[in-house]
Amino acid sequence: MLICQLSDLHIRPAGQRYQGVADSNRMLGDAVRHVQALDVRPDLVVLTGDLVDHGHPDEYAYARELLAALTIPYLVMPGNHDDRDRLRAAFADHAYLPATGPLHYCIDTYPVRLVALDSTVPGQHHGALDAAGLSWLKATLAQDTVKPTIVMLHHPPFVSGIPYMDAYRFLDAAPLAEVVGAFRNIEAVLCGHVHRPMFRRWAGTVVCACPSTTTEIALRLAPDAKPASFMGPPACMLHRWDPAEGLVSHISYIGDFEGPYDFY
Protein backbone atom coordinates (compact mmCIF):
# COMPACT_ATOMS: atom_id res chain seq x y z
CA MET A 1 0.00 0.00 0.00
CA LEU A 2 1.26 3.48 -0.86
CA ILE A 3 -0.04 6.43 1.17
CA CYS A 4 0.70 10.02 0.16
CA GLN A 5 0.66 12.61 2.93
CA LEU A 6 0.03 16.28 2.20
CA SER A 7 -0.01 18.78 5.02
CA ASP A 8 -0.40 22.45 5.87
CA LEU A 9 -1.92 23.61 2.59
CA HIS A 10 -3.03 26.99 4.03
CA ILE A 11 -5.49 27.64 1.21
CA ARG A 12 -6.73 31.23 0.87
CA PRO A 13 -9.65 32.66 -1.09
CA ALA A 14 -9.01 32.78 -4.83
CA GLY A 15 -6.46 35.47 -5.67
CA GLN A 16 -5.11 35.85 -2.13
CA ARG A 17 -1.76 34.70 -0.76
CA TYR A 18 -0.77 32.97 2.47
CA GLN A 19 0.69 35.63 4.79
CA GLY A 20 0.41 37.97 1.82
CA VAL A 21 3.50 36.33 0.29
CA ALA A 22 3.16 32.62 -0.58
CA ASP A 23 0.88 31.53 -3.41
CA SER A 24 -0.38 28.55 -1.43
CA ASN A 25 -3.28 28.01 -3.82
CA ARG A 26 -1.02 27.56 -6.84
CA MET A 27 1.31 25.40 -4.76
CA LEU A 28 -1.51 23.01 -3.88
CA GLY A 29 -2.22 22.70 -7.59
CA ASP A 30 1.47 21.90 -8.11
CA ALA A 31 1.27 19.30 -5.33
CA VAL A 32 -1.78 17.62 -6.84
CA ARG A 33 -0.09 17.40 -10.23
CA HIS A 34 3.04 16.01 -8.57
CA VAL A 35 1.06 13.28 -6.81
CA GLN A 36 -0.85 12.40 -9.97
CA ALA A 37 2.43 12.03 -11.90
CA LEU A 38 4.18 9.67 -9.46
CA ASP A 39 5.49 6.50 -11.09
CA VAL A 40 3.36 4.44 -8.69
CA ARG A 41 -0.14 5.72 -8.04
CA PRO A 42 -0.85 6.11 -4.30
CA ASP A 43 -3.79 4.15 -2.96
CA LEU A 44 -4.76 7.03 -0.70
CA VAL A 45 -3.89 10.65 0.11
CA VAL A 46 -4.12 11.90 3.70
CA LEU A 47 -4.28 15.63 4.45
CA THR A 48 -2.98 16.14 7.99
CA GLY A 49 -4.44 19.51 8.87
CA ASP A 50 -4.30 23.23 8.16
CA LEU A 51 -6.19 22.73 4.92
CA VAL A 52 -7.00 26.45 4.96
CA ASP A 53 -5.52 29.48 6.69
CA HIS A 54 -8.39 31.15 8.55
CA GLY A 55 -11.15 28.54 8.63
CA HIS A 56 -13.43 30.63 6.38
CA PRO A 57 -16.11 29.01 4.20
CA ASP A 58 -14.74 30.65 1.04
CA GLU A 59 -11.33 29.12 1.75
CA TYR A 60 -12.86 25.67 2.11
CA ALA A 61 -14.85 26.16 -1.07
CA TYR A 62 -11.66 26.96 -2.97
CA ALA A 63 -9.82 24.06 -1.33
CA ARG A 64 -12.56 21.72 -2.59
CA GLU A 65 -12.22 23.21 -6.07
CA LEU A 66 -8.44 22.63 -6.09
CA LEU A 67 -8.72 19.13 -4.64
CA ALA A 68 -11.27 18.17 -7.30
CA ALA A 69 -8.31 17.61 -9.63
CA LEU A 70 -7.08 14.82 -7.35
CA THR A 71 -8.34 11.52 -8.76
CA ILE A 72 -7.06 9.50 -5.79
CA PRO A 73 -9.27 9.01 -2.70
CA TYR A 74 -8.30 11.38 0.10
CA LEU A 75 -8.97 11.85 3.81
CA VAL A 76 -9.10 15.17 5.65
CA MET A 77 -8.50 16.14 9.27
CA PRO A 78 -8.26 19.53 10.99
CA GLY A 79 -5.28 21.59 12.10
CA ASN A 80 -5.08 24.66 14.29
CA HIS A 81 -5.83 26.98 11.34
CA ASP A 82 -8.99 25.05 10.50
CA ASP A 83 -12.47 25.51 11.89
CA ARG A 84 -13.77 22.08 12.92
CA ASP A 85 -17.43 22.64 12.06
CA ARG A 86 -16.78 24.53 8.83
CA LEU A 87 -14.41 21.78 7.70
CA ARG A 88 -17.08 19.22 8.55
CA ALA A 89 -19.64 21.17 6.52
CA ALA A 90 -17.30 21.68 3.56
CA PHE A 91 -16.57 17.95 3.39
CA ALA A 92 -20.07 16.75 4.25
CA ASP A 93 -19.81 14.09 1.54
CA HIS A 94 -16.90 12.48 3.43
CA ALA A 95 -19.03 10.04 5.39
CA TYR A 96 -16.21 8.97 7.72
CA LEU A 97 -16.27 12.37 9.46
CA PRO A 98 -18.35 12.33 12.67
CA ALA A 99 -21.53 14.39 12.54
CA THR A 100 -20.79 16.11 15.85
CA GLY A 101 -17.88 16.69 18.20
CA PRO A 102 -14.17 16.23 17.50
CA LEU A 103 -13.26 14.77 14.14
CA HIS A 104 -11.78 11.46 15.30
CA TYR A 105 -12.27 8.55 12.91
CA CYS A 106 -10.94 5.15 11.87
CA ILE A 107 -10.63 3.83 8.31
CA ASP A 108 -10.27 0.05 8.27
CA THR A 109 -10.83 -0.81 4.60
CA TYR A 110 -7.15 -0.86 3.53
CA PRO A 111 -4.28 -3.24 4.33
CA VAL A 112 -3.17 -0.62 6.87
CA ARG A 113 -5.72 0.74 9.35
CA LEU A 114 -5.76 4.54 9.66
CA VAL A 115 -6.79 6.19 12.92
CA ALA A 116 -7.18 9.98 12.84
CA LEU A 117 -7.21 12.16 15.95
CA ASP A 118 -8.56 15.69 16.10
CA SER A 119 -5.86 17.37 18.20
CA THR A 120 -7.20 20.89 17.70
CA VAL A 121 -8.27 23.15 20.55
CA PRO A 122 -10.84 25.67 19.26
CA GLY A 123 -9.48 29.20 19.47
CA GLN A 124 -5.94 28.03 20.28
CA HIS A 125 -2.90 26.96 18.28
CA HIS A 126 -1.50 24.21 20.50
CA GLY A 127 -2.70 20.62 20.38
CA ALA A 128 -4.43 18.51 23.03
CA LEU A 129 -6.67 15.49 23.49
CA ASP A 130 -9.23 15.28 26.28
CA ALA A 131 -10.11 12.23 28.35
CA ALA A 132 -12.94 11.31 25.98
CA GLY A 133 -10.57 11.44 23.01
CA LEU A 134 -7.99 9.28 24.77
CA SER A 135 -10.71 6.79 25.69
CA TRP A 136 -11.93 6.69 22.07
CA LEU A 137 -8.39 6.07 20.86
CA LYS A 138 -7.75 3.29 23.36
CA ALA A 139 -11.02 1.54 22.48
CA THR A 140 -10.41 1.94 18.73
CA LEU A 141 -6.87 0.56 18.88
CA ALA A 142 -8.05 -2.33 21.06
CA GLN A 143 -10.47 -3.48 18.36
CA ASP A 144 -7.53 -4.99 16.46
CA THR A 145 -4.14 -5.41 18.11
CA VAL A 146 -2.57 -7.21 15.13
CA LYS A 147 -3.40 -5.31 11.95
CA PRO A 148 -0.76 -2.71 10.94
CA THR A 149 -2.05 0.69 12.07
CA ILE A 150 -1.10 4.30 11.44
CA VAL A 151 -2.18 7.02 13.86
CA MET A 152 -2.55 10.56 12.47
CA LEU A 153 -2.86 13.93 14.20
CA HIS A 154 -1.91 17.47 13.26
CA HIS A 155 0.34 18.45 16.18
CA PRO A 156 3.65 16.61 16.81
CA PRO A 157 3.67 15.16 20.35
CA PHE A 158 7.32 16.03 20.98
CA VAL A 159 9.72 18.93 21.50
CA SER A 160 11.42 19.79 18.20
CA GLY A 161 13.97 22.28 19.50
CA ILE A 162 12.52 25.12 17.40
CA PRO A 163 11.27 27.35 20.24
CA TYR A 164 8.56 29.25 18.38
CA MET A 165 7.01 25.99 17.16
CA ASP A 166 7.35 24.10 20.43
CA ALA A 167 5.10 26.64 22.15
CA TYR A 168 2.27 25.32 19.94
CA ARG A 169 3.01 21.60 19.93
CA PHE A 170 0.82 18.87 21.44
CA LEU A 171 1.45 20.07 24.98
CA ASP A 172 0.62 17.15 27.29
CA ALA A 173 1.81 14.15 25.33
CA ALA A 174 2.36 11.70 28.21
CA PRO A 175 -1.25 10.36 28.37
CA LEU A 176 -1.28 9.96 24.58
CA ALA A 177 2.08 8.16 24.68
CA GLU A 178 0.73 5.81 27.32
CA VAL A 179 -2.19 4.80 25.09
CA VAL A 180 -0.15 4.46 21.89
CA GLY A 181 2.69 2.67 23.67
CA ALA A 182 0.34 -0.07 24.89
CA PHE A 183 -0.10 -1.38 21.32
CA ARG A 184 2.65 -3.09 19.34
CA ASN A 185 1.02 -2.80 15.90
CA ILE A 186 1.40 0.98 15.47
CA GLU A 187 3.59 1.35 12.37
CA ALA A 188 3.93 5.13 12.69
CA VAL A 189 2.35 8.33 13.95
CA LEU A 190 1.93 10.90 11.16
CA CYS A 191 1.57 14.61 11.82
CA GLY A 192 2.07 18.03 10.23
CA HIS A 193 2.03 21.52 11.78
CA VAL A 194 5.80 22.17 11.80
CA HIS A 195 6.21 22.67 8.01
CA ARG A 196 9.38 20.56 8.12
CA PRO A 197 10.31 16.87 7.95
CA MET A 198 11.03 15.63 11.46
CA PHE A 199 11.33 12.12 12.88
CA ARG A 200 11.38 10.91 16.46
CA ARG A 201 11.23 7.56 18.21
CA TRP A 202 8.24 7.84 20.55
CA ALA A 203 5.88 5.58 22.49
CA GLY A 204 7.29 2.41 20.96
CA THR A 205 6.89 3.64 17.38
CA VAL A 206 8.12 6.46 15.11
CA VAL A 207 6.61 9.93 14.71
CA CYS A 208 6.94 11.41 11.21
CA ALA A 209 6.23 15.11 10.61
CA CYS A 210 5.41 16.08 7.04
CA PRO A 211 6.65 19.22 5.24
CA SER A 212 4.15 21.77 3.97
CA THR A 213 3.05 22.16 0.37
CA THR A 214 3.86 25.86 0.79
CA THR A 215 6.39 27.49 3.16
CA GLU A 216 9.12 25.82 5.22
CA ILE A 217 9.58 26.89 8.85
CA ALA A 218 13.16 28.07 9.43
CA LEU A 219 15.38 25.66 11.35
CA ARG A 220 16.37 28.00 14.16
CA LEU A 221 17.34 26.22 17.37
CA ALA A 222 18.54 29.11 19.54
CA PRO A 223 16.30 29.62 22.60
CA ASP A 224 15.65 33.25 21.62
CA ALA A 225 15.18 32.53 17.90
CA LYS A 226 12.69 34.72 16.07
CA PRO A 227 9.98 33.05 13.96
CA ALA A 228 10.80 32.83 10.26
CA SER A 229 9.93 30.86 7.15
CA PHE A 230 11.38 30.17 3.72
CA MET A 231 9.64 29.79 0.39
CA GLY A 232 9.92 26.04 0.15
CA PRO A 233 11.08 23.56 -0.73
CA PRO A 234 7.51 22.21 -0.82
CA ALA A 235 7.20 18.48 -0.38
CA CYS A 236 4.94 15.60 0.53
CA MET A 237 5.57 12.26 2.21
CA LEU A 238 5.14 8.83 0.65
CA HIS A 239 4.57 6.01 3.12
CA ARG A 240 5.08 2.60 1.51
CA TRP A 241 3.81 -0.38 3.47
CA ASP A 242 4.72 -3.90 2.46
CA PRO A 243 3.53 -6.99 4.36
CA ALA A 244 7.06 -8.42 4.41
CA GLU A 245 9.07 -5.22 4.89
CA GLY A 246 6.77 -3.01 6.93
CA LEU A 247 6.52 0.78 6.54
CA VAL A 248 9.13 2.97 4.84
CA SER A 249 8.61 6.74 4.55
CA HIS A 250 10.06 8.94 1.81
CA ILE A 251 10.18 12.72 1.32
CA SER A 252 9.04 13.63 -2.19
CA TYR A 253 10.02 17.18 -3.17
CA ILE A 254 7.61 19.11 -5.37
CA GLY A 255 9.09 21.06 -8.26
CA ASP A 256 11.31 20.83 -11.33
CA PHE A 257 14.92 19.78 -10.81
CA GLU A 258 17.76 18.87 -13.18
CA GLY A 259 17.74 15.25 -14.28
CA PRO A 260 17.09 12.44 -14.17
CA TYR A 261 20.63 11.33 -14.99
CA ASP A 262 21.61 7.72 -15.59
CA PHE A 263 23.69 7.39 -12.41
CA TYR A 264 22.86 6.98 -8.74
Side-chain angles (χ1 to χ4, degrees), residues 6-11 24 28 47 49-51 67 212-214:
L6 300 176
S7 200
D8 298 86
L9 318 178
H10 289 280
I11 296 305
S24 56
L28 175 57
L47 309 178
D50 283 359
L51 277 66
L67 288 169
S212 169
T213 57
T214 178

Side-chain angles (χ1 to χ4, degrees), residues 197-227:
M198 297 182 191
F199 306 90
R200 189 187 191 280
R201 184 173 62 183
W202 178 82
T205 185
V206 176
V207 182
C208 171
C210 183
S212 169
T213 57
T214 178
T215 56
E216 180 183 65
I217 297 294
L219 181 56
R220 294 183 172 181
L221 300 176
D224 60 349
K226 301 299 182 184

Side-chain angles (χ1 to χ4, degrees), residues 46-259:
V46 296
L47 309 178
T48 49
D50 283 359
L51 277 66
V52 304
D53 197 37
H54 293 292
H56 293 168
D58 52 350
E59 291 177 325
Y60 285 116
Y62 200 47
R64 289 295 315 245
E65 182 177 333
L66 293 169
L67 288 169
L70 187 62
T71 60
I72 301 165
Y74 67 89
L75 305 176
V76 298
M77 53 186 293
N80 53 294
H81 282 261
D82 289 302
D83 180 280
R84 180 183 291 162
D85 291 324
R86 289 173 178 170
L87 186 152
R88 189 190 338 256
F91 293 90
D93 55 323
H94 287 230
Y96 58 86
L97 292 174
T100 60
L103 298 176
H104 310 315
Y105 60 84
C106 176
I107 304 296
D108 200 9
T109 55
Y110 293 95
V112 176
R113 180 176 54 164
L114 297 121
V115 177
L117 297 172
D118 182 348
S119 61
T120 63
V121 181
Q124 303 293 324
H125 283 294
H126 70 274
L129 202 62
D130 61 15
L134 289 168
S135 179
W136 178 89
L137 175 62
K138 184 176 182 179
T140 300
L141 294 177
Q143 290 172 4
D144 191 332
T145 60
V146 176
K147 185 174 183 177
T149 296
I150 289 175
V151 174
M152 306 181 295
L153 71 164
H154 180 67
H155 299 82
F158 60 81
V159 174
S160 71
I162 302 175
Y164 45 88
M165 293 305 300
D166 288 338
Y168 304 116
R169 70 184 189 279
F170 192 102
L171 291 182
D172 185 12
L176 177 60
E178 183 177 355
V179 173
V180 171
F183 298 90
R184 300 272 68 87
N185 59 325
I186 310 299
E187 294 281 331
V189 175
L190 308 184
C191 56
H193 189 55
V194 289
H195 289 220
R196 296 189 61 85
M198 297 182 191
F199 306 90
R200 189 187 191 280
R201 184 173 62 183
W202 178 82
T205 185
V206 176
V207 182
C208 171
C210 183
S212 169
T213 57
T214 178
T215 56
E216 180 183 65
I217 297 294
L219 181 56
R220 294 183 172 181
L221 300 176
D224 60 349
K226 301 299 182 184
S229 295
F230 289 95
M231 290 297 295
C236 62
M237 299 292 299
L238 297 176
H239 307 284
R240 179 184 182 272
W241 181 82
D242 180 88
E245 302 296 335
L247 189 75
V248 176
S249 297
H250 301 267
I251 301 170
S252 183
Y253 294 101
I254 300 165
D256 296 321
F257 307 95
E258 289 188 26

